[in-house]
Amino acid sequence: MSDMDALDMEIQNAARRRTEAERVFLRADLELKELLVKGRAAGLGPSEMAKLTGFTREWVSKIAPDASKTRKSAAQRRLDKLGPDSD
């Protein structure tokens, strides 16, 4: 086996390990995001979940926004689009 064959094998093995690590990361990321949304729905605040995860409060808020505020904001945007004259 030449040096290039050995190097080719090392590159392929490293690529396989990276692909598997990415799959594991994406599964864990999805699980965490789902749990953050579940926690928010259960009444946990973003600051509390940030302390639990080590992520920033802003990141947690982006992933798991307050559903009631989101609905209110969407309704207000629709009303704003209609303007004051549309009765």
Side-chain angles (χ1 to χ4, degrees):
M1 182 185 276
S2 74
D3 287 339
M4 285 303 283
D5 291 337
L7 181 58
D8 288 350
M9 292 296 289
E10 285 183 63
I11 291 170
Q12 288 176 336
N13 290 334
R16 279 190 211 105
R17 287 191 304 273
R18 186 206 176 277
T19 299
E20 180 56 27
E22 184 177 21
R23 268 190 239 137
V24 170
F25 169 79
L26 291 174
R27 278 193 301 264
D29 189 55
L30 179 62
E31 178 185 10
L32 176 60
K33 289 176 179 179
E34 288 173 349
L35 287 170
L36 291 174
V37 170
K38 187 176 179 179
R40 195 74 165 126
L44 293 174
S47 295
E48 185 177 356
M49 290 191 291
K51 288 177 188 173
L52 293 171
T53 62
F55 292 105
T56 65
R57 182 197 162 300
E58 291 77 17
W59 185 84
V60 171
S61 293
K62 181 179 173 183
I63 299 303
D66 184 348
S68 67
K69 287 183 181 177
T70 303
R71 282 191 293 272
K72 288 177 188 174
S73 297
Q76 186 60 51
R77 281 193 304 273
R78 285 191 293 275
L79 290 173
D80 292 343
K81 276 185 180 179
L82 292 174
D85 300 358
S86 52
D87 285 330

